[in-house]
């Protein structure tokens, strides 16, 4: 009799029935979709043979949105209803958008959740809706070419995307009717595409400069496992910034004023980009700009001039490179190879400066436009269950430390930045006051010591803690970050089992406060942070002692203290109360220690008294049995 076969979990029971999966590179400038067929992943073109779908959505009244090249053509004639670079707005609050959006011509309106909406002739739309139009177009393209419905997709996001931005991306996918297998960091996807796992063990750098974002990732491949050991970057730096430098130059040359119309600006920007891309293969280009009233400006831009204009922008990518190396604790000489990703890495000056920085010529074998989508497609194929045994396990890292607020406004970090995910970490906390029955859990993100200097992600309360003396309750707080980098937090009081849980879906109203800036601050303020932390800790100690002594005096002063002793304690108490919020660390510590000593005898007496009280009425064996 033959044995019955049972399929493995996650695998299709019908061996020949492949599930349809795709990888999507949802870019600021261009988006792509790729899929794996017969073991080879490649990008899917549209019916005209174009791989890149410009990430541009155009709205007209009473008609469905138009996406891609046709929409791009409308950008010049109808800029207010043609949304480009929407990725820059994903997961952002209105305040950030006003800042980030300075360069953008759209009219923003506020909505209840703090997520900005863009006014168009077709009504107000949110960045999530705009993104979902792009995703719908890619879904359609994939399903037409695969002739079936997609079972699941992997969507890539910049390594720098925070929780809100990742969540917004997932929301957009859901709106587009896609099943997201997982979000994947773009540089990580590039590494998969390059099959770095098939090479030798070592350290690889992925340098990704696209239209709107810059990411640097350092990957270590060892013992068959691929690990992202550090990431850094800038969520608002890319080819668009080069276009702006060139546009500024053109406007100066052509005498176009700074308050030119939106469509004029679009026209100049679009010419600037065409010139920039042409200068990748040519040494000079002719420029032709239509001015008002049929006038035309003509000029020439040489590659040399271009390089003078853009060099400062490109050099801004080097600071994150340095930081990533430092975080990974490696030297330039440890880097085995440097992979270039993103359209802007075609620029010769980028290749030159990156080569100089890493002291080796970068790898450019795979089309820098397609590489991310291809990697996502390979990962999607594995996750949907088409591949089996021993497929590479990919680990990502979190970009900023996650912690919570403790007494004195200090941040206690539970998960350090660059920790690989998924990850779960727990720590025990306790109550600050006698009889405290609730606890405020404030989740923060950032490297600084003071909560005020970190970014607030969420607050929630744990209620129903049984009343106990201060410091007795044991509240276990667990931080869990899933494979997409999304955080959930649990708090449970150990004796009673009361618990509380939150999925950190931070408000969209985050401060733009670039991670870059936060990290720089944490380095600049390292010393002063240590001082502030010490002072806050001393102040918390002082406060705790004051409260303890005061409540003890209220209960037992008459019973246990003589006048002289009582006076001594009261004096020390008053002095410390005066100095408690003083900014002198020494003073707070000195007076705390005086009160501590002054009240030591009293504390001992109380303890004796309590032991007597407890012991009376019990036989010794009562205690033995416990
Ligand atoms: P994103 O990932 O942000 O969508 P891409 O990786 O598609 O961006 O890169 C788009 C950027 O690449 C644009 O700024 C575009 O101008 C630039 N780019 C494309 N081709 C070239 C080229 N030949 N030379 C220089 N820059 C280029
Ligand atoms: Mg990209």
């Amino acid at each position: 009799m033959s044995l019955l076969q049972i399929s493995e979990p996650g695998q299709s029971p019908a061996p020949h029935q492949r599930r349809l999966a795709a990888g999507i590179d949802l870019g600021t400038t261009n988006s792509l979709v790729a899929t794996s067929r017969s073991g080879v992943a490649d990008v899917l073109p549209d019916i005209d043979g174009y791989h890149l779908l410009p990430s541009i959505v155009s709205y007209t009244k009473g008609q469905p949105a138009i996406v891609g090249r046709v929409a791009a053509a409308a950008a010049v004639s109808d800029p207010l209803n043609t949304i480009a670079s929407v990725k820059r707005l994903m997961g952002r609050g209105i305040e950030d958008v006003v800042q980030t959006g300075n360069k953008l011509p759209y009219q923003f309106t506020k909505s209840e959740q703090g997520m900005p909406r863009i006014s168009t002739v077709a009504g107000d739309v949110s960045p999530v809706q705009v993104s979902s139009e792009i995703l719908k177009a890619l879904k359609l393209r994939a399903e037409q070419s695969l002739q079936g419905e997609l079972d699941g997709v992997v969507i890539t996001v910049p390594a720098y995307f925070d929780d809100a931005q990742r969540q917004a991306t997932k929301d957009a996918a859901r709106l587009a009717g896609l099943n997201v297998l997982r979000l994947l960091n773009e540089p990580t996807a590039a590494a998969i595409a390059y099959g770095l796992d098939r090479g030798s063990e070592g350290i690889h750098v992925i340098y990704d400069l696209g239209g709107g974002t810059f990411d640097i990732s350092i990957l270590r491949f060892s013992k068959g496992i691929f690990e992202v050991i550090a990431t850094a970057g800038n969520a608002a730096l890319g080819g668009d910034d080069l276009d702006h430098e060139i546009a500024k130059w053109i406007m100066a040359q052509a005498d176009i004023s700074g308050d030119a119309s939106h469509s004029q600006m679009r026209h100049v920007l679009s010419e600037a980009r065409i010139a920039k891309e042409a200068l990748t293969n040519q040494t000079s280009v002719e420029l032709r700009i239509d001015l008002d009233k049929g006038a035309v400006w003509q000029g020439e831009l040489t590659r040399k001039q271009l390089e003078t204009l853009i060099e400062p922008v490109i050099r801004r990518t080097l600071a994150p490179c340095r930081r990533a190396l430092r975080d990974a604790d490696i030297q330039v000489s440890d880097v085995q190879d440097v992979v270039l990703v993103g359209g802007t890495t075609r620029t010769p000056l980028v290749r030159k400066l990156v080569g100089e920085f890493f002291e080796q010529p970068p790898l450019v074998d795979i089309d820098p436009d397609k590489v991310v989508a291809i990697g996502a497609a390979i990962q999607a194929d594995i996750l949907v269950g088409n591949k089996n045994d021993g497929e590479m396990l990919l680990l990502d890292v979190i970009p900023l430390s996650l912690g919570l607020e403790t007494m004195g406004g200090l941040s206690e970090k539970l998960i350090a930045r660059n920790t690989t995910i998924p990850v779960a970490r727990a720590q025990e906390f306790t109550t600050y006051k006698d009889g405290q029955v609730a606890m405020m859990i404030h989740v923060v993100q950032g490297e600084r010591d003071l909560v005020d200097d970190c970014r607030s992600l969420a607050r929630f309360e744990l209620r129903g803690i049984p009343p106990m003396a201060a410091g007795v309750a044991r509240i276990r707080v667990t931080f869990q970050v899933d494979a997409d980098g999304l955080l959930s937090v649990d708090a449970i009081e150990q004796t009673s089992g009361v618990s509380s849980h939150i999925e950190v879906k931070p408000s969209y109203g985050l401060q733009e406060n670039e991670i870059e800036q936060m990290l720089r601050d944490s380095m600049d303020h390292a010393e002063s942070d240590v001082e502030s932390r010490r002072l806050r800790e001393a102040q918390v100690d002082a406060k705790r002692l004051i409260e303890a002594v005061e409540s003890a005096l209220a209960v037992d002063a008459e019973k246990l203290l003589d006048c002289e002793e009582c006076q001594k304690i009261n004096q020390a108490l008053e002095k410390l109360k005066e100095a408690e919020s003083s900014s002198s660390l020494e003073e707070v510590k000195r007076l705390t220690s005086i009160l501590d000593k002054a009240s030591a005898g009293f504390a001992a007496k109380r303890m004796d008294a309590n032991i007597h009280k407890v012991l009376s009425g019990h036989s010794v064996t009562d205690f033995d049995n416990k």
Side-chain angles (χ1 to χ4, degrees), residues 25-28 30 87 156 186 208-211 213 341-343 368-369 372:
D25 173 1
L26 184 60
T28 312
N30 295 302
K87 191 170 173 179
T156 58
E186 287 158 11
D208 178 352
L209 190 58
T213 54
V341 181
D369 287 329
V372 167

Side-chain angles (χ1 to χ4, degrees), residues 172-251:
R174 211 178 40 232
L175 209 56
L178 289 166
N179 169 32
V180 181
L181 299 164
R182 76 173 278 190
L183 301 178
L184 185 65
N185 284 341
E186 287 158 11
T188 308
I192 302 175
Y194 265 91
L196 295 183
D197 57 314
R198 272 170 262 132
S200 56
E201 304 211 327
I203 286 172
H204 309 276
V205 165
I206 315 291
Y207 178 104
D208 178 352
L209 190 58
T213 54
F214 170 61
D215 282 289
I216 177 97
S217 295
I218 301 183
L219 313 176
R220 179 188 287 131
F221 179 62
S222 98
K223 300 191 188 71
I225 290 184
F226 216 6
E227 189 186 5
V228 184
I229 53 174
T231 65
N234 186 336
L237 181 64
D240 292 351
D241 299 283
L242 306 187
D243 301 347
H244 280 105
E245 292 306 315
I246 302 163
K248 271 197 298 199
W249 180 84
I250 293 176
M251 286 170 73

